[in-house]
Amino acid sequence: MFLGKSAERSKSFRVVSGRGDITQKGYEKKRSKLLAPYLPGQSESSSPPVPLPRQSRQQKTPTGEGAASPSSRARRRAQRRVTRNESRYHSDSSSDEDDSSVPGEPATPEVDRSRHHGPPPSDTSSLGSARDTPPQSRARTGPLPPLPGQQTAVPQQPPPPPIQQIQQQQIQQIQQIQQQSQQPNTVQNRLSSSSQSSNHDRQRARLRDEMTQLSEVMDNLAPYCEPPDVTHNTGSSRSSRYQPPHMASVRVNSSTSITAALDEAHGATARWKVSTKIQQLLNTLKRPKRRPLPEFYMDDEEELEMAARVRDPAAPKPEGGPMTPAVGEHLEIPAGLPRNLEAAVQRYGSATFKASCASVLDATNKPSVPLTYGKLLSRAHKIAFALLNKARGETSLKPGDRVALVYPNSDPVSFMCAFYGCLYAGMVPVPIEVPITRRDAGSLQIGFLLGSCGVQVALTTEPCHKGLPKTASGEVAVFKGWPKLHWFITEHLARPPKEWQPPPRLNDDTPAYVEYTSGGDGSVMGVTVSRAAMLAQCRTLTSACGYTEGEICVCVVDFKREVGLWHATLCSVFNGMHVIFIPYSLMKVNPASWMQMITKFKASIAIVKSRDLHWGLLATKDHKDINLSSLRLLLVADGANPWSLSSCDQFLSVFQSKGLRPDAICPCASSCETMTVAVRRPGQGGANTTGRGVLSMAGLSHGVVRVDQENSLTSLTLQDCGQVLPGATTVVVRPDGEPRLCSTDEVGEICVSSAAAGTSYWGLQGVTNQTFRVRPLRADGSGLGDQDYVRSGLLGFLGPGGLVFVCGSRQGLMTVSGRKHNTDDIIATILAVGADEVHLPRTDRRVQHPRAARRAHLRGGRAEARVHRGTGQHNRRMGQGYRGTDKKDRESFQWMSRVLQAVDSIHQVGIYCLCLVPHNYLPKTPLGGIHLSETKRRFLDGCLHPANVLMCPHTCVTNLPKPREVHKGERSEETGCADVGPASVMLGNIVQGNRLATAQGRDLGTADDENDTTKKHQFISEILRWRAQTTSDHALFTLLNAKGGPSSTLTCAQLHKRAERVGCLLLEKGHVNTGDHVALVYPPGLDLIAAFYGCLYVGAVPVTIRPPHPQNLQTTLPTVRMTVDVSKSVLILSNQTVIKLLRSKEASNVVDVKSWPPTLDTDDMPKRKLVAVYRAPTAEMLAYLDFSVSTTGMLAGIKMSHAATTSLCRSMKLACELYPSRHVALCLDPYCGLGFALWCLSSIYSGHHSILIPPSEVETNPALWLTAVSQHKVRDTFCSYGVMELCTKGLSSSIPLLRQRGVNLSCVRTCVVVAEERPRIALCTSFSRLFSGLALSPRAVSTSFGCRVNVAICLQGASSPDPSTVFVDLRALRNDRVTLVERGAPHSLCLMESGKLLPGVKVIIANPETKGHCGDSNLGEIWVQSPHTSTGYFTIYGDDSGTSDHFTAQLVTGSTGEVYARTGYLGFLRRTDSVAADGEKHDAVFVVGSLDETVMLRGMRYHPIDIETSVLKCHKKVVECAVFVWTNLLVVVAELEGNEDDALDLVPLITNAVLEDHHLIVGVVVVVDPGVVPINSRGEKQRMHLRDGFLQDQLDPIYVAYNM
């Protein structure tokens, strides 16, 4: 059916035409059938049809002699409807491929004989098409009959039908389909047409407008020719463009699509003409079904958060009814109150100007001279006049500007004068704390607030100004993050002129003042309070508290903000009261001073905190003369704190005998945003005036109110905070999500709608809308009303009689395992155990439950404490020599164990980290409270310096990703088939289109090339003899000393002669035989090279061994002795210095010096010529042994044949383009691997000049290597990571000096790092950036890769592409998968390729367990195949059966006949866009890490270097680290460069870093001195040596923490 306009129809065609596929023959049949009604009829003659123009073709009608009768047409229509499910005929070919179809051919209708209900046409074949049918058959068959409603045309003169006729045909066919769809789905009902005429007119009228665009479509139609592609299931990309299809295709496909949809709606079974097997094949090609691999992993951050917030299904749920807002009583304003605060100052300053307004206690506990209301008025006018006229600074002030008030807590008088002076001047005061130092706690955030408010002038007193930090010029220092301020002293100001009057009072909607408030993360925001809200607050509090003129108030709280500001600074002046301020500094000396002032002045009001009540109880010696009978209102400012109840009860029980009335204690709840939320009315009694409840903390943690037993340890007793203020409305909404009203027994956030509330956050409109513009919703989603509510940040519920109960705050809320806990409750529990001060910094830890044991080692002694959860037993084991502090340490661990048990039993929550600090060590606020955000910052930055730390991550964190389970050999319950094997994985990679990981270097060439004479020699010793004869004076080696000068030089002839002399020494004094092993123990130099070739000259097998270090014989000498013994060396060749060291007294304390093999000194050699040079019978015989200690601590020796040696040299020569004219600088160790090959072999084979620089000389002179490179214009240089790190650290500040000396590295073409590990991309990048100032090209620095089985696999050559880097997903890497991500993506890891494959080297990636061939997207073991692969391992017994697979590995899938060597390193291949010198795409090899060093935890594979990178980044004082596994515990050893007091700071930081980055829990943290982590000569960490030292207690650690 045609619906919509032409664009919609073309879109419908493209959708339909991409549904399925069909074979070529079936496609031709259907195409002919569809085109038949619209193609011209064929004449009786056999002449070929003549193609007509497009205009003519569009006007032809389907007619001919073979036109069928109406009855036969009906039967055929019925037959077509039976088989109308034609989705199999739709092709993926795009519509613009239709242009090549043959337009003039008629089509032969296709008939299904098995389902045809009438006589079939005699000449029609079900397997034929229009192209296969002969002309005679096509002439006899003719086209299809016309549709119903069409007139049979005269064959002789077919008239061209108008467009209306075609529209009429379409409408009739659509009507038939629609009418049939309303009947039962049977063939008989489809054949009936009795109902067609009844709906004909109605359908024609509805569809006439929809068919008006048909002519526009027909003008741009193209025929359809190309057969479909059955190998794809998606349409061509060209289909997205608008290409109008052929008319027949549009018409039939559109109607067919609707018919198919109707069939589907009626449940009709699809009828297919193609066979079932063909359809199954097509479905398989379109949508291949594969089982998901069992290695599939899911460790999303969102799932971790969901796991952390799993709600207990048995958790209690709210059962109460819907909440009704609590409405306060009507606000009745007494008649005698002033109109506003300015009027109050004017009234009392004029009428009762001698009345006292404010007094302050001094250090002697005596009140100062009181500030009278007359002085307040006078000083306020002075300040207002000065602000408007004299306090100009750089810019003038005007009404509405913000001004900072910086006054100490001991000077409330000056603050009140400045505050009211700003009100008179129309300024907006911003009260802040006095900054003590430039890096005061929280001062940075205060500076941000001042900057956002545009503050440029700060008001202060002269003493305070003198105490501020000054610069050298005497000016006030600019504090960190603060704007530049003009400091204005408000003392000793001149009187304003008599004619001066304050400016007109600003509008009530303008800001009156800005009060700062701190967020949970330490951010500071400014709450804007309008003049109307300030006045409403004063009136409301006056009504609620019953304030009257002349009352005396004692204030202990901060007078600059919150309760102290509202009551003691604003309401007191508004009512003409006298306030006596008690500074916090005096409270610390005399806690009972405020009660003494009440007694002395018979004060009726006191504003305190529960802390002051507690301190007053402790001052028992001052209780004798206390009389509180005059007190009618004891306002507890922090009544919302759960601690306040116990303080109030204890204070009442003690001082009720001193005249304190129970109804005088009035707790209140408040916040900066809502100001006062609720306050208990003084002097009121009754059933609903006060209340308290014993609630279950378990229920509160689930957000519901449940009554508990009073003596239960898990209960929380709350007191009310009073009733809702007059004129206010209070509701409780859910703290998360939409602000829906809570149930009556549900805990939520308290919201207040009142005129006495804040209006906004200054400059933060988005946060303002979320806090100050809240519209609560009912349970059905409807709004509560049109009034806006303000979020208070307090969590609680409403009790009977409008009482407000507060049980916590949003800032102190911690969500753990789906339950909510209040930090104040946990702090109260910990304080009950016995700590002085406790702070819980929220580090976003998820789940916490302590259970296991913990031990702590301290240098100089050992203190061990084991804590068993629930038992209360503390097993201690002490060693000898405890220091004086060990007793305190033991006591602290005992206390911490009690804390863990108490918090776990009462709150059912564990403590992740427990830090103990000295008394009064935590950062404090100016009024003595703990600065929460600053404490958290110090903890996270590692500068808290605790005295003891206890970590419990093992039992606290329970939402780690699920362990990976790799099923091996199991059978699926669904299919009964075995699990996915290597063949299935390989087939899956092929089906998915993944390239199998295979890469190969360029061809090595054959030995028949006459251009290179060295190819003809099979032995490296023969090449040396040949060079000594042909180029005797050519310099091969130059050894440099520490000053950069040449220490010695060897030419070809000199080396040959020295080798002969060594050979004579071996034969005459050593009596060596052919095949004997000789140990070469030399320092890096030319003697080692000469001794090596001397052994080859006589047929001995040389073994190069690093000499022991004189200052570290205890560690290095056993390795030398082991290598000599394992290699079965019969003789030791060395120089006189090393031989003396081997036989020294110090060496005898380590090894038995008498058991050394015979030792020969090559410094004293006979000057004789060797009679004959030994030549091995075959090139496959052993040339030398290569021994080295792996990173796992294993001593492994490989056997290198003569053929492998010469092949290795040739491969390096071709890759690096080494010729006799080249100069190569080597700064690496020459004892094993690629370093030995470059030092001793490569120059002999290629003839280039090697400049040898011992790495030990670079330690004393870091500039030696680079200076030599610049001096000799070296193009290719090789070094180790150790040398590169020495240069980076030692020359970081010497670049200008080196530039002055003429050091220029622009000549360097390749700087290759020789290593057997993952490239250290950070070090390489730092090196390139640092020395780019010396013209070093960043493209020059690259890495190489070799291993034990093949010492040189990858090497960056002269013509190799630039080293490429990729970013992979670290999470996928843990599951042996390689997923490329963008730079900067979460969990991304940057990897650099290890150089280009050497010529003759072939590399594949194989599964190390199944030995199956991996694809590019898999992480697997690198297998290598090359001529220079070693022939095997050398063991002391000659038995290499356990390691034979390393050299004869074969794939179980793919090329199973090829033999590879297993490198033992994990990596992957990636084909890059770079083109190599041979014109092929460059295959980059990325080495990830050693297979033996990987850490298998939780079923996933972790690489130590990744964990160590996270540890190094956690703190700047961690200079080196190493990780290993011990009894399934991850052990981290970190080197601390700093004071030992910083050691405890590293424990939580290291644990957090590993947990956040890798989702692993660290079991043991060991803090050691720098240099403890062993590193071999190649700069690789010896983690297994470190593990052995840890187990044998040989590390001498600063601190060891065993995390619980």
Side-chain angles (χ1 to χ4, degrees), residues 634-803:
L634 180 60
L635 186 65
V636 183
D638 58 345
N641 196 313
W643 305 351
S644 62
L645 175 61
S646 60
S647 300
C648 293
D649 289 347
Q650 294 176 15
F651 190 83
L652 178 62
S653 64
V654 172
F655 290 97
Q656 191 171 6
S657 61
K658 302 291 182 179
L660 179 64
R661 298 195 302 268
D663 57 359
I665 300 178
C666 299
C668 71
S670 62
S671 69
C672 293
E673 291 79 7
T674 57
M675 305 177 79
T676 303
V677 176
V679 62
R680 187 183 297 177
R681 309 297 193 265
Q684 294 183 2
N688 293 330
T689 55
T690 62
R692 64 177 58 195
V694 181
L695 307 179
S696 169
M697 284 193 291
L700 292 177
S701 65
H702 291 289
V704 297
V705 180
R706 293 292 182 268
V707 180
D708 201 353
Q709 298 179 0
E710 189 171 359
N711 57 354
S712 174
L713 291 177
T714 60
S715 64
L716 176 65
T717 305
L718 291 179
Q719 68 175 348
D720 69 288
C721 297
Q723 294 87 1
V724 180
L725 290 182
T729 304
T730 302
V731 296
V732 180
V733 301
R734 295 176 182 175
D736 301 327
E738 294 181 342
R740 293 184 178 272
L741 290 178
C742 296
S743 303
T744 54
D745 62 341
E746 188 176 2
V747 177
E749 185 176 5
I750 300 174
C751 298
V752 178
S753 176
S754 171
T759 56
S760 65
Y761 289 121
W762 186 276
L764 301 174
Q765 188 61 39
V767 185
T768 296
N769 294 333
Q770 299 175 4
T771 304
F772 296 90
R773 308 286 188 269
V774 178
R775 297 285 181 90
L777 303 175
R778 293 188 174 91
D780 56 358
S782 61
L784 185 61
D786 296 336
Q787 55 184 350
D788 291 334
Y789 286 76
V790 181
R791 292 181 180 269
S792 65
L794 301 177
L795 302 178
F797 56 93
L798 297 180
L803 295 178

Side-chain angles (χ1 to χ4, degrees), residues 89 1195 1271 1532:
Y89 298 107
L1195 179 65
Q1271 181 180 354
V1532 177

